[in-house]
Amino acid sequence: MFTSAKKILIKKLQKNGITDNSVLEAFLKCDRHKFIPEAMSHFAYEDTALHIGYGQTISQPTTVAIMTQYAKIQKGDRVLEIGTGSGFQGAILATMGAKVFTVEREYDLFLMAREKFDKLGYGIQTKWGDGSIGWNEFAPYDAILVTAGSPSIPEPLKNQLAIGGRLIIPVGERDSQMMVIIHKTGQNEFSKTELPNFAFVPLLGKEGWTKK
Ligand code: SAM
């Protein structure tokens, strides 16, 4: 179902710089239409963010693909996602063979995503809470993806990265951010790359924005 729409989307992702075949294959395998309200399923394979309720969005496919490509996922990697939302980003990571842990602060979205992961057979660990402080219990992670915009880089997330790990996080103002890619090269050593022009909903919480 939706195979030709998926193939058109994948061509767009390639045009937008996605070259990692394991990312493109995950987009072919994952059913984005199952992660959005049914009434919007005809928009599922458009390269746009969509509203999923509670003032939140499922990110634009190109953005999900860019973040995933920078995360350099290998089978068996332990990956933390902050901002479960619809569950689609988590599903992409799990399809690539990652062991996925994901945190969502909106209780209803957390419940819906957990139910979806169970129904679709993704073995993803979910948590309801403030992901701006990470999920220390299962650290260290090979990659951490934050899918909400933060005013700064939360220290706990840097601490919860394994050496060699990658942190992908939008950082900046409430309505526009740079995508920051941090590599943990040693116990207290990090390298940083930035990509301009992203717009995420705010990361709310102790290490994020304090006001809704
Ligand atoms: N990754 C999601 C997907 O695939 O659909 C998109 C996430 S949406 C752009 C951002 C999500 O981050 C929202 O669901 C929002 O409730 C959540 N969020 C914001 N602040 C958070 C926090 N401190 N901890 C966990 N989730 C948070």
Side-chain angles (χ1 to χ4, degrees), residues 49-115:
L50 296 167
H51 290 283
I52 54 170
Y54 309 93
Q56 303 302 334
T57 53
I58 178 172
S59 302
Q60 181 185 356
T62 288
T63 301
V64 174
I66 290 172
M67 293 181 77
T68 310
Q69 182 160 271
Y70 274 99
K72 297 191 192 313
I73 304 297
Q74 300 293 316
K75 280 198 175 63
D77 274 0
R78 298 166 62 77
V79 180
L80 175 65
E81 179 201 20
I82 308 303
T84 316
S86 68
F88 181 69
Q89 169 77 79
I92 290 280
L93 295 165
T95 300
M96 293 174 73
K99 173 90 192 106
V100 181
F101 302 83
T102 182
V103 186
E104 172 58 53
R105 71 177 286 283
E106 284 286 346
Y107 188 63
D108 289 335
L109 289 176
F110 152 77
L111 284 182
M112 281 196 293
R114 187 175 65 174
E115 196 183 313

Side-chain angles (χ1 to χ4, degrees), residues 130-192:
D130 177 9
S132 73
I133 56 166
W135 192 352
N136 204 26
E137 190 183 350
F138 296 107
Y141 302 100
D142 300 297
I144 301 178
L145 286 80
V146 181
T147 66
S150 181
S152 58
I153 299 168
E155 273 309 303
L157 299 187
K158 287 165 77 178
N159 295 337
Q160 289 171 29
L161 266 187
I163 293 174
R166 293 80 58 197
L167 166 63
I168 327 292
I169 178 169
V171 179
E173 303 306 316
R174 273 188 92 105
D175 53 359
S176 86
Q177 305 91 27
M178 302 280 261
M179 189 66 74
V180 179
I181 298 116
I182 303 270
H183 274 91
K184 188 162 179 171
T185 50
Q187 196 50 52
N188 274 310
E189 290 163 23
F190 299 90
S191 71
K192 182 163 128 179

